[in-house]
Each structure stands twice: as structure tokens, then as C-alpha cells.
Amino acid sequence: MAKKKISIKDIAKALDISITTVSFILNGKAKEKRISSELIARVESYIQETGYRPSHLAQSLRLGKSKVIVFMVEDISNHFFASIARLIEEKAFENGYKIIYCSTENDPKKAKELIGTFKVRNVDGFVITPTPDLESTISELLEEDFAVLLFDRWMPEVDCSYVIVENEQSAFEATEHLVMQGCKHIGLIHVESDQMQMKLRLAGYRRAVMKYGLAEHVLHVPFHNYSENEELEKITGFLKANPELDAVFFSTNYLAFEGLRAIQQLGKRIPDDLAVVSFDDHYFFSLFQPNITGIEQPLHQIADRLMEGMLELLKENGNQKAVIREVLPTVLHPRGSSVKKGDK
Amino acid sequence: MAKKKISIKDIAKALDISITTVSFILNGKAKEKRISSELIARVESYIQETGYRPSHLAQSLRLGKSKVIVFMVEDISNHFFASIARLIEEKAFENGYKIIYCSTENDPKKAKELIGTFKVRNVDGFVITPTPDLESTISELLEEDFAVLLFDRWMPEVDCSYVIVENEQSAFEATEHLVMQGCKHIGLIHVESDQMQMKLRLAGYRRAVMKYGLAEHVLHVPFHNYSENEELEKITGFLKANPELDAVFFSTNYLAFEGLRAIQQLGKRIPDDLAVVSFDDHYFFSLFQPNITGIEQPLHQIADRLMEGMLELLKENGNQKAVIREVLPTVLHPRGSSVKKGDK
DNA sequence: TTGAAAGCGATACCAT
DNA sequence: ATGGTATCGCTTTCAA
């Protein structure tokens, strides 16, 4: 049934009425306009028959709204982002929104380009994990009345809505957990990054070691550069150079994966030689032997708040700009990797 | 700089020339139309100044093409699909296409609904991992001249382009690999599914055990129903009920993860008690102890062929319908989990 | 109760 | 070489 596209005009012609009337009926304004129910029925049955569906494109052009939300993250193939994507998508569709995704690779240039492209596309809203140096671009977006919602990280300088987790406190608690297990030399293997959430994780670790009078041992790994080997080497070198370490805390799970590899290669036993905790819990952590202690980010909650927030922002048609600030708690899952056997 | 939207009309007015002229210049038809280079320069500099960008919405409406490709997979949060998404996205953007994603959950109803929605949205192409029972919908799409490219699985009944991997042969080789390691009782833990690729994996396994005169041991696990525990129990039961097994082949990696858990809980040693091979290689397999032998699907190749193919389909404006049929080879990575120590 | 017509932003045919 | 204008499909104000 290669049916040709049928437009509102066709149906008006076929039923010998005006386009306006059809439009009213389509948009549920029939009552309001007191169109005879007989006509309404005729139009509706014709629509049924022909399977007519209005062109979203034309509607968007006319109304200036496209019902499209951009989901711009660092890397859509990353488990964390992909999971959020999945959860958000569902809610979006329920509300008539489509989602376009894109990955910034944490590159400000790429991010700006993408945002520029989408502005022209008349998208309605942006869900963004901001790259560095994006403050002015975000500000512009806000001024131009787009709905913008940051997540995973945010920018203190810009008064923009966000949904994040308690990074500082979580890192503090994870470190403290290691202290409670009797660890005295706790290393942090950390992404060198300007990203706010990373700074806060570092701060949380620092607060904890300071509180318990321990020494700081931090390895700064340059930002993910797609040469995993380099990370592996860096971590290996760090562990070798600091043989006194009895615990390591990874500030993100992809570093933990490389770290586990390094630890294996060095022949160290977990947790006896080295206790391990990682930010960002992962399915894998409970499969690895021993199970790895992880800090879980509440994916469902994040996704829920993200979409609720976005819909909220979308609703208030550029009225007053309510700013959503959501900081969600994480959950520490203590597992074998951080429980010293000698613990009584 | 909350600059108000500027349209082609505005710029024509500002420069006191006609819309047509501006349009020609914008579309690089200036030469063709022999517009004075002086005027061209004036227009171009004005465009620079104002940062004008044409409305894609209007262009789409006018041209009937939206430069949007739908990427419809079973579950975007799945590592395999997310990785492909990431790779495709890049190529798409380079070519001026945006990608909208959606997950079908392998539900034909949802898939049909989504396709219906996107048809109205005037998307240009569809990249789809078809759910069962989608033949007629796909056929319609084809008749209506959409660019459609299936992947991961395909439908024998429909003459539609696809990009897949050599499922049968790969499963055969993996099974044969186990035979070569001296395994005599090779089990297959398999998703019960109508999906073509799954049927082929089963067929490959069968061909191998038959060739070597071995007995078949197949566990059919019902399709992913989000209750992982059930899968774990099923696998555990199967392993208990077939104590003679000396190897298991998982037809997909999420089953392998649950399987590894089951094996751990049963206290079986890999590979001494039980050798393990899985379809779909995973980062994790080389981290697990012992390393798990996996069949790698060539992500980059798949993504490349997918986008090349899609662009090709998009190009031929409904001329003759070239059908792309791409079957890519996989790579078996033999690792510790399938190499018997007794092997001399 | 229904219809005519303007307009969203851009393209391209037909004039001049 | 440039410009006028119909058109894509739809919403909505104003008139009738």
C-alpha cells in the first residue's frame, strides 16, 4: 500500500470543507468552535480510513517548537551515559518528545559546534554534560530561552539547572570506609580534569585523609585519551612507586578497570595487599573476584529527575526561569575488595 | 547577546536585494547565476556579521528531506549497540545527518509505533535491528522509498539491505575450537529467540557437534526478561543437570556474565572443570580471571559499513533500489578460559 | 458554525 | 544578473 502522503488540504478537498475546520477538529478545538458533531464524525472517520498523520515538520515550523530534545554527553557508548539515555528516552517518547544524541568527547570545540547546529534545528531543549570552557555558550542558550539541563557535572559560574550526585560526600565516605577497614595509606587514582565532579571527588578524598591524619597519595591520570595502555602504565608506575599503599580509590570506573589489570599484573592480592574502591558502580564489579566495592550512582533517579526537570523547563514558556538544582545521593556498596580479612 | 532569529528575509531587506538572490548565494549557485562577486561578498560578510544560519526546519519542509536518520535498536544501553551508536554518530554528523535513537525492547508493537511516528517526522533513513514480526512494516517502509538498513539480524522474507556478521560460521568455529581443546561434552547456553542471528548461532553449534560426532546439550533461556535471577537459576540448573559437560558456549555475552556467576557459585574451575567461550567479545572478558575466550564482532567495520551503506541508500533518490548485503567476519580470541591445561 | 488568508523560512521556476 | 512569487503543511486570527 504505497499510499502517497496525504495532507490536511487533501482531506479538506475530499470532504469539501475548509482546511481550517479540519485543523480545528484535529486539534481538539472542535467543541470550542462549536463545529457540528456530524461534521466532526465525518472528518474523524475519513482520517481513520486514510491513516492521515499531520506533518510534524510543518507544525514545528509554524509553532516554532520541534519536540526534540538533544542529549549531549561525553560519550554515548559509555555505560553510564548509555543507561541514562535508555531511561530518558522512554519518558521522552511518552511525552511526545524525540531524543537526538551526540557525543562531545569532552571537546569544547565539538560541543560548541554541536550546540550551534542544534540551535538552528529548532530543538526545544538540551540535556548536557558540559565540557570545560562552555560557560558562555550555555549562557547564550539560556538567554535565548532554550530549556537547558546539565547533568553529571555543572558549572558554578552559570546559573543553569542541573542534576548531579553528591560527589564530594560520596568520595569522603568511600575513603572513610577504607580508613575504617584499617587502611593507612590510601591512594587516589584520579582523572586530571577541570570537570567539577572530578574536583569534588578529589576534595572528598582529601577531606577524609586529612580528617584521619593520613598522607595523601594522588595519581593524576590525564584525561581519557583513547590509549588505554598509557593509563595502564601510569597506574602500574604509581603502584610501584608507592609500595606502602594498602588501598586505592579510583575516581571513575574506567580507571578502575585498568587499575585492576595493573594490580593483576603486579601480582598483588585484593584486598590483602591492596583494598580497592571505585566510583561508579558497575555490573562487572560484582562478578570480578573478589567483588569490587563501588559507589553507585542512582541511574533511575537521575534519569527521572532529568526528564521531569526537562519537561518542567519546557513547560514554562519562557516565563520566569525556575532553576532546578538537584543533588542526588549515591550508594556505597561495600564488597570483598575493601574488606580486609584480618578485620575482626 | 540575545540575538533574535534572523531569517533570509531579514537579510534581503537589510541589503535591499531580493530573497532569491540571497538564497542563490547561500546555496552556492551564485556562479551559476552569474551574480556579481561584489554582491556575493556583501551578502557573505553580512551573514558573517549576523551569524545567520538557515532554518533546517524550513529547508526540510521545502525539500522533503530532514537529514535525520533513526537508529532503532533493541536496547541503546547495551554495550554493543551503544558502541555502534557512537561510531555511527560521528560519520553521520560529518555528512550533515543527525541521529535520533530509540529502543524497541524487541517488542514488535513498540517498534511499529516508533516507525510510524518517525515516518510522519519525515526522517530520511532507518537503521534497524528488527524485532520479530516486523516484515510487513519494513516492506511498507521500502515501498515508501525510505532508506532502510537492517543490522545485527535480518529478515529472510524481505528484500531489504542489511549488515550482519557471520553468525553460523563463527559459532561453528568457536565450537570446533572447543573440540580441538579436547572437549567432548559441549553445552550451548542459548537465547530462545526467533531472531535470525540466534538461529544461525545455534545452527553453527549444531553443525560442529555433529561433525565431530558429539552429543548436543542445549539450554534455551527465554528472551531477556529483565529478571536476571531467573537466567542465573536456569543456567545453574542446567549445569547441575549435566555434570558431564566439560565446556559451555554462550551464544551472547549477557548470558555469559550470568553463566560465569553460576559457575563461580557452583565452585567449578575454568577451564579445568569447564571450558568457556562466548559470542560477543567484551572488554571484561580479558580482565576476568581466567580470561574468557570471546568471538569479537568487528564494531568499527559494522559501523563503517552501516553508514556507508546508509549514505548510499540515501543518495540514490528513489532510483533503482540497490540492495546492500554485507556479511562481516568475526574474530575468535582464544583466551585462558578455553585452553585446557592438560593440552600438550 | 465555518472559511479565507496570512505567515513560519526556505527553494526554485519564470520573468525581466 | 537579479527579482517576484508559488509552494511545502500547518495554525490561527479575523470575518462572515
Side-chain angles (χ1 to χ4, degrees):
Chain A
M1 319 171 70
K3 48 183 101 153
K4 279 305 98 188
K5 304 239 172 192
I6 145 165
S7 82
I8 197 171
K9 199 185 286 180
D10 298 322
I11 123 159
K13 202 173 295 172
L15 265 47
D16 197 34
I17 54 179
S18 94
I19 287 180
T20 316
T21 312
V22 180
S23 175
F24 282 151
I25 294 175
L26 279 162
N27 294 301
K29 299 194 179 162
K31 290 253 161 73
E32 198 178 311
K33 300 290 176 180
R34 294 187 235 169
I35 291 174
S36 71
S37 49
E38 182 260 339
L39 220 191
I40 295 179
R42 254 175 69 215
V43 171
E44 276 175 350
S45 81
Y46 186 79
I47 285 172
Q48 280 291 325
E49 260 173 53
T50 53
Y52 164 80
R53 306 269 237 108
S55 156
H56 261 282
L57 231 40
Q59 286 183 157
S60 300
L61 181 58
R62 182 64 236 237
L63 300 176
K65 308 243 153 271
S66 61
K67 288 279 191 177
V68 169
I69 295 169
V70 174
F71 184 67
M72 197 169 98
V73 296
E74 183 174 317
D75 177 358
I76 189 72
S77 73
N78 179 112
H79 177 73
F80 173 67
F81 295 125
S83 303
I84 299 276
R86 175 73 170 70
L87 295 169
I88 279 195
E89 175 205 336
E90 209 147 327
K91 270 219 156 194
F93 274 78
E94 277 171 23
N95 290 278
Y97 284 91
K98 314 286 163 279
I99 301 231
I100 289 191
Y101 66 80
C102 51
S103 307
T104 62
E105 294 166 46
N106 211 37
D107 174 359
K109 201 165 141 257
K110 198 173 173 207
K112 287 176 190 174
E113 232 177 82
L114 288 169
I115 290 180
T117 309
F118 286 118
K119 282 210 273 194
V120 195
R121 283 241 159 195
N122 283 60
V123 304
D124 295 343
F126 290 84
V127 175
I128 302 181
T129 62
T131 67
D133 195 27
L134 212 60
E135 286 81 0
S136 61
T137 313
I138 300 283
S139 299
E140 273 180 36
L141 235 33
L142 253 20
E143 278 170 29
E144 294 173 42
D145 272 332
F146 284 99
V148 184
L149 192 46
L150 309 181
F151 86 107
D152 189 49
R153 47 198 95 156
W154 92 113
M155 330 183 89
E157 302 86 350
V158 183
D159 197 29
C160 181
S161 298
Y162 58 77
V163 173
I164 52 170
V165 299
E166 275 176 349
N167 285 289
E168 204 270 353
Q169 178 64 13
S170 304
F172 174 84
E173 283 169 9
T175 312
E176 190 171 49
H177 163 74
L178 288 169
V179 174
M180 293 304 155
Q181 301 300 314
C183 300
K184 304 287 184 207
H185 302 278
I186 303 173
L188 173 70
I189 295 185
H190 189 251
V191 197
E192 186 167 88
S193 161
D194 279 341
Q195 296 166 19
M196 203 58 203
Q197 88 280 23
M198 288 305 166
K199 287 187 182 171
L200 289 172
R201 291 177 194 180
L202 175 58
Y205 161 83
R206 284 201 167 132
R207 180 157 67 90
V209 294
M210 194 159 293
K211 170 168 176 186
Y212 293 99
L214 304 179
E216 241 180 56
H217 307 268
V218 181
L219 169 66
H220 291 275
V221 181
F223 183 74
H224 204 231
N225 36 15
Y226 294 93
S227 76
E228 278 158 357
N229 279 329
E230 203 177 313
E231 289 164 3
L232 183 57
E233 280 165 26
K234 277 241 159 52
I235 297 172
T236 305
F238 176 72
L239 293 176
K240 275 191 188 156
N242 296 275
E244 76 277 22
L245 289 183
D246 53 11
V248 279
F249 174 25
F250 295 94
S251 67
T252 178
N253 65 17
Y254 75 86
L255 284 182
F257 293 141
E258 292 306 314
L260 291 174
R261 195 159 278 182
I263 292 168
Q264 278 179 3
Q265 288 175 4
L266 291 172
K268 300 216 182 221
R269 288 163 309 154
I270 301 174
D272 300 314
D273 299 335
L274 206 58
V276 170
V277 173
S278 173
F279 219 102
D280 280 341
D281 200 19
H282 196 280
Y283 175 86
F284 192 57
F285 284 168
S286 66
L287 194 52
F288 194 82
Q289 288 299 344
N291 293 179
I292 305 297
T293 298
I295 299 173
E296 180 195 353
Q297 302 208 42
L299 293 181
H300 283 269
Q301 270 190 60
I302 294 175
D304 284 351
R305 287 308 296 133
L306 234 30
M307 273 315 293
E308 286 166 21
M310 185 41 79
L311 292 174
E312 219 172 293
L313 291 174
L314 251 15
K315 209 169 294 168
E316 37 179 293
N317 264 316
N319 294 1
Q320 64 277 22
K321 41 187 173 182
V323 176
I324 294 164
R325 284 174 239 271
E326 194 88 31
V327 183
L328 300 170
T330 61
V331 183
L332 178 70
H333 294 281
R335 300 202 183 93
S337 74
S338 64
V339 179
K340 297 277 185 181
K341 285 196 188 125
D343 201 38
K344 41 178 172 161
Chain B
M1 321 171 66
K3 49 183 103 154
K4 279 305 97 188
K5 305 240 174 191
I6 144 164
S7 83
I8 198 172
K9 198 184 287 178
D10 298 322
I11 123 160
K13 201 173 297 171
L15 265 46
D16 198 33
I17 55 179
S18 93
I19 286 180
T20 315
T21 312
V22 180
S23 176
F24 281 149
I25 294 176
L26 280 163
N27 294 301
K29 297 192 181 160
K31 291 250 159 75
E32 196 179 312
K33 300 292 177 179
R34 295 185 233 171
I35 291 173
S36 71
S37 47
E38 181 260 340
L39 219 191
I40 295 179
R42 252 177 67 216
V43 171
E44 276 175 351
S45 81
Y46 187 79
I47 285 171
Q48 281 291 325
E49 260 172 54
T50 52
Y52 164 81
R53 306 268 237 108
S55 155
H56 261 282
L57 230 41
Q59 286 183 154
S60 299
L61 180 59
R62 182 65 235 240
L63 301 176
K65 308 244 154 272
S66 61
K67 289 282 194 173
V68 170
I69 296 169
V70 173
F71 184 67
M72 196 169 97
V73 296
E74 184 176 316
D75 177 359
I76 190 70
S77 73
N78 180 112
H79 177 73
F80 174 67
F81 296 124
S83 303
I84 300 276
R86 176 72 170 72
L87 294 167
I88 280 194
E89 175 205 337
E90 209 147 328
K91 269 220 158 195
F93 274 77
E94 276 171 24
N95 289 278
Y97 284 92
K98 313 285 162 280
I99 301 230
I100 289 191
Y101 67 80
C102 50
S103 308
T104 62
E105 293 165 46
N106 210 37
D107 174 0
K109 201 165 140 254
K110 196 172 172 202
K112 288 177 190 173
E113 233 176 80
L114 287 169
I115 291 179
T117 309
F118 286 118
K119 281 210 277 197
V120 197
R121 283 238 160 200
N122 283 60
V123 304
D124 296 342
F126 289 85
V127 174
I128 302 181
T129 61
T131 67
D133 194 28
L134 212 61
E135 286 81 359
S136 60
T137 314
I138 300 282
S139 298
E140 273 180 36
L141 236 32
L142 252 21
E143 279 171 29
E144 294 172 42
D145 272 330
F146 284 99
V148 185
L149 192 46
L150 308 182
F151 87 107
D152 188 50
R153 48 198 93 157
W154 93 111
M155 328 182 90
E157 302 86 351
V158 183
D159 197 30
C160 180
S161 298
Y162 58 77
V163 173
I164 52 171
V165 300
E166 275 177 346
N167 286 289
E168 203 272 351
Q169 179 63 13
S170 304
F172 174 83
E173 283 169 9
T175 312
E176 192 171 47
H177 163 76
L178 287 169
V179 174
M180 293 305 154
Q181 299 301 314
C183 301
K184 303 287 184 206
H185 301 279
I186 302 173
L188 173 69
I189 294 186
H190 188 252
V191 196
E192 185 167 87
S193 163
D194 280 340
Q195 296 167 19
M196 203 58 202
Q197 88 279 24
M198 287 304 165
K199 286 186 182 170
L200 289 172
R201 291 178 193 179
L202 175 58
Y205 160 84
R206 283 201 167 133
R207 180 157 68 88
V209 293
M210 196 159 292
K211 171 171 177 185
Y212 293 99
L214 303 179
E216 238 179 59
H217 307 268
V218 181
L219 169 66
H220 292 275
V221 181
F223 181 75
H224 205 233
N225 34 17
Y226 293 91
S227 77
E228 278 156 358
N229 278 330
E230 204 177 314
E231 289 163 3
L232 183 59
E233 280 166 26
K234 277 236 157 56
I235 296 172
T236 304
F238 176 72
L239 293 176
K240 275 192 189 156
N242 296 273
E244 77 278 21
L245 289 183
D246 53 10
V248 278
F249 174 24
F250 294 94
S251 66
T252 180
N253 65 17
Y254 75 86
L255 284 182
F257 293 141
E258 292 306 312
L260 290 174
R261 197 158 276 184
I263 293 168
Q264 278 181 0
Q265 289 175 3
L266 292 171
K268 298 215 183 224
R269 287 161 311 155
I270 301 172
D272 300 313
D273 299 335
L274 206 56
V276 169
V277 173
S278 172
F279 220 101
D280 282 342
D281 201 19
H282 196 279
Y283 175 87
F284 191 55
F285 284 168
S286 66
L287 193 53
F288 194 82
Q289 287 300 345
N291 291 179
I292 304 298
T293 297
I295 299 173
E296 180 195 353
Q297 302 208 42
L299 292 182
H300 283 268
Q301 270 190 60
I302 294 176
D304 284 352
R305 289 305 298 130
L306 235 30
M307 271 316 292
E308 286 166 22
M310 183 43 77
L311 292 174
E312 219 172 292
L313 292 174
L314 252 13
K315 210 170 294 170
E316 37 180 296
N317 264 317
N319 295 1
Q320 66 276 21
K321 40 184 174 181
V323 176
I324 295 164
R325 284 174 239 270
E326 194 88 32
V327 182
L328 300 171
T330 61
V331 182
L332 178 69
H333 294 281
R335 300 203 184 92
S337 73
S338 65
V339 178
K340 296 276 186 181
K341 285 198 187 122
D343 203 36
K344 35 172 182 173

